[in-house]
Amino acid sequence: MQGDTGGGGRTPSGSRPIRAGYALDGQDGSISRARHHALAFLERAVTDHRLVVPARARDLTQLVVSELVTNALKYAPGPVLMELGITVERVEVSVWDSAPVVPVARTADPDRIGQHGLEIVKAVSEDLAVRQEPVGKRVTARITLLDPLVHAGAGG
Protein backbone atom coordinates (compact mmCIF):
# COMPACT_ATOMS: atom_id res chain seq x y z
CA MET A 1 0.00 0.00 0.00
CA GLN A 2 1.37 3.36 -0.94
CA GLY A 3 -0.17 6.78 -1.02
CA ASP A 4 0.96 10.30 -1.67
CA THR A 5 -0.81 13.60 -1.17
CA GLY A 6 0.47 17.04 -1.76
CA GLY A 7 -0.16 20.49 -3.07
CA GLY A 8 -0.54 19.73 -6.79
CA GLY A 9 2.99 20.79 -7.64
CA ARG A 10 2.96 23.77 -5.29
CA THR A 11 5.41 24.17 -2.45
CA PRO A 12 3.42 23.24 0.67
CA SER A 13 3.09 25.61 3.57
CA GLY A 14 4.65 24.62 6.89
CA SER A 15 1.25 23.45 8.15
CA ARG A 16 0.23 21.29 5.17
CA PRO A 17 2.52 18.28 4.89
CA ILE A 18 3.07 16.05 1.92
CA ARG A 19 2.42 12.48 3.11
CA ALA A 20 2.97 8.91 1.93
CA GLY A 21 2.35 5.53 3.55
CA TYR A 22 3.92 2.13 3.04
CA ALA A 23 3.07 -1.37 4.27
CA LEU A 24 6.10 -3.55 5.02
CA ASP A 25 5.55 -7.29 5.22
CA GLY A 26 8.56 -8.15 7.36
CA GLN A 27 10.15 -10.34 4.69
CA ASP A 28 13.86 -10.18 3.92
CA GLY A 29 14.73 -6.81 2.51
CA SER A 30 11.95 -4.87 4.29
CA ILE A 31 14.38 -2.55 6.06
CA SER A 32 16.24 -1.81 2.83
CA ARG A 33 12.93 -1.22 1.01
CA ALA A 34 11.86 1.17 3.77
CA ARG A 35 15.06 3.21 3.33
CA HIS A 36 14.54 3.26 -0.46
CA HIS A 37 10.92 4.42 0.02
CA ALA A 38 12.16 7.22 2.28
CA LEU A 39 14.80 8.37 -0.18
CA ALA A 40 12.33 8.29 -3.11
CA PHE A 41 9.79 10.23 -1.01
CA LEU A 42 12.36 12.94 -0.26
CA GLU A 43 13.40 13.08 -3.91
CA ARG A 44 9.74 13.61 -4.91
CA ALA A 45 9.48 16.40 -2.33
CA VAL A 46 12.44 18.11 -4.00
CA THR A 47 11.48 17.55 -7.65
CA ASP A 48 7.67 17.76 -7.49
CA HIS A 49 7.20 20.27 -4.66
CA ARG A 50 10.45 22.25 -4.83
CA LEU A 51 11.31 21.66 -1.18
CA VAL A 52 14.89 21.98 0.00
CA VAL A 53 16.09 18.76 1.63
CA PRO A 54 19.73 19.00 2.74
CA ALA A 55 21.95 15.92 2.47
CA ARG A 56 22.16 15.81 6.28
CA ALA A 57 18.36 15.50 6.55
CA ARG A 58 18.30 12.78 3.86
CA ASP A 59 20.95 10.78 5.71
CA LEU A 60 19.26 11.20 9.10
CA THR A 61 15.86 10.27 7.66
CA GLN A 62 17.28 7.02 6.26
CA LEU A 63 18.98 6.29 9.60
CA VAL A 64 15.75 6.93 11.57
CA VAL A 65 13.70 4.82 9.13
CA SER A 66 16.22 2.00 9.43
CA GLU A 67 16.23 2.05 13.25
CA LEU A 68 12.45 2.37 13.73
CA VAL A 69 11.56 -0.27 11.13
CA THR A 70 14.23 -2.63 12.49
CA ASN A 71 12.79 -2.32 16.01
CA ALA A 72 9.23 -2.84 14.78
CA LEU A 73 10.15 -5.95 12.79
CA LYS A 74 12.29 -7.33 15.60
CA TYR A 75 9.82 -6.92 18.47
CA ALA A 76 6.33 -7.07 16.93
CA PRO A 77 4.50 -9.82 15.08
CA GLY A 78 2.89 -9.04 11.76
CA PRO A 79 3.21 -6.21 9.29
CA VAL A 80 4.64 -2.77 9.89
CA LEU A 81 3.20 0.47 8.53
CA MET A 82 5.50 3.39 7.80
CA GLU A 83 4.23 6.88 7.14
CA LEU A 84 6.38 9.75 5.94
CA GLY A 85 5.52 13.41 5.97
CA ILE A 86 7.38 16.56 5.05
CA THR A 87 6.85 20.29 5.42
CA VAL A 88 9.21 23.16 4.66
CA GLU A 89 10.63 22.73 8.19
CA ARG A 90 10.83 19.02 8.95
CA VAL A 91 10.49 15.39 7.93
CA GLU A 92 8.24 13.16 10.01
CA VAL A 93 8.82 9.40 10.16
CA SER A 94 6.07 7.37 11.82
CA VAL A 95 6.17 3.59 12.25
CA TRP A 96 3.23 1.52 13.50
CA ASP A 97 3.47 -2.06 14.71
CA SER A 98 1.15 -4.44 16.54
CA ALA A 99 3.14 -4.82 19.78
CA PRO A 100 1.52 -2.98 22.70
CA VAL A 101 4.78 -2.56 24.64
CA VAL A 102 6.00 1.03 24.57
CA PRO A 103 9.75 1.19 23.89
CA VAL A 104 11.99 3.35 26.03
CA ALA A 105 15.35 4.77 25.00
CA ARG A 106 17.94 3.41 27.39
CA THR A 107 20.67 5.49 28.94
CA ALA A 108 23.94 5.56 27.05
CA ASP A 109 26.21 2.62 27.81
CA PRO A 110 29.26 2.15 25.60
CA ASP A 111 29.71 -1.40 26.95
CA ARG A 112 26.21 -2.53 25.92
CA ILE A 113 26.09 -4.48 22.68
CA GLY A 114 22.99 -3.63 20.68
CA GLN A 115 19.75 -1.97 21.74
CA HIS A 116 20.97 1.54 20.90
CA GLY A 117 18.35 2.18 18.19
CA LEU A 118 15.97 4.46 20.09
CA GLU A 119 18.92 6.13 21.77
CA ILE A 120 20.27 7.02 18.32
CA VAL A 121 16.87 8.14 17.00
CA LYS A 122 16.35 10.36 20.04
CA ALA A 123 19.80 11.92 19.57
CA VAL A 124 19.34 12.82 15.89
CA SER A 125 15.66 13.81 16.00
CA GLU A 126 14.08 17.11 16.85
CA ASP A 127 11.32 15.18 18.63
CA LEU A 128 10.52 11.54 19.40
CA ALA A 129 7.05 10.45 20.50
CA VAL A 130 5.48 7.07 21.23
CA ARG A 131 1.70 6.74 21.21
CA GLN A 132 -0.29 3.66 22.07
CA GLU A 133 -2.99 2.87 19.52
CA PRO A 134 -6.13 0.72 19.92
CA VAL A 135 -3.93 -2.04 18.50
CA GLY A 136 -0.18 -1.69 18.93
CA LYS A 137 1.75 1.56 18.99
CA ARG A 138 3.09 4.32 16.77
CA VAL A 139 6.62 5.72 17.11
CA THR A 140 7.13 9.11 15.46
CA ALA A 141 10.38 11.00 14.96
CA ARG A 142 10.71 14.48 13.51
CA ILE A 143 13.89 15.52 11.73
CA THR A 144 14.61 19.17 11.06
CA LEU A 145 15.32 20.35 7.54
CA LEU A 146 17.05 23.41 8.92
CA ASP A 147 20.83 23.26 9.28
CA PRO A 148 21.39 23.47 13.07
CA LEU A 149 24.89 24.93 12.68
CA VAL A 150 23.69 27.77 10.45
CA HIS A 151 20.75 28.60 12.73
CA ALA A 152 22.82 28.38 15.93
CA GLY A 153 25.24 30.95 14.52
CA ALA A 154 22.44 33.26 13.39
CA GLY A 155 21.27 33.91 16.94
CA GLY A 156 24.59 34.81 18.44
Side-chain angles (χ1 to χ4, degrees):
M1 173 183 201
Q2 180 175 334
D4 190 359
T5 61
R10 295 173 290 135
T11 302
S13 69
S15 63
R16 191 157 173 237
I18 302 163
R19 303 199 70 78
Y22 308 90
L24 304 166
D25 58 12
Q27 300 299 314
D28 287 344
S30 288
I31 298 162
S32 176
R33 279 192 301 282
R35 285 193 304 266
H36 289 293
H37 286 314
L39 188 56
F41 173 79
L42 295 176
E43 288 172 357
R44 282 194 313 273
V46 170
T47 58
D48 297 350
H49 301 280
R50 298 184 185 99
L51 289 175
V52 176
V53 181
R56 178 183 182 280
R58 287 176 197 238
D59 293 345
L60 291 178
T61 298
Q62 289 186 85
L63 173 64
V64 167
V65 162
S66 185
E67 293 296 337
L68 293 182
V69 170
T70 296
N71 285 352
L73 292 173
K74 184 175 181 180
Y75 297 110
V80 169
L81 302 177
M82 178 178 73
E83 294 179 354
L84 302 172
I86 189 169
T87 66
V88 295
E89 298 170 339
R90 69 188 47 87
V91 177
E92 183 176 282
V93 177
S94 185
V95 175
W96 172 89
D97 67 54
S98 62
V101 177
V102 174
V104 177
R106 298 173 70 179
T107 56
D109 179 357
D111 294 325
R112 184 176 67 236
I113 298 172
Q115 298 185 337
H116 293 277
L118 273 184
E119 191 180 317
I120 292 167
V121 171
K122 190 174 179 181
V124 302
S125 299
E126 178 180 64
D127 180 49
L128 177 65
V130 180
R131 186 178 77 214
Q132 287 192 296
E133 300 273 331
V135 174
K137 66 181 167 303
R138 183 174 306 276
V139 181
T140 302
R142 292 176 186 85
I143 301 146
T144 186
L145 291 176
L146 307 174
D147 186 338
L149 297 177
V150 170
H151 291 284

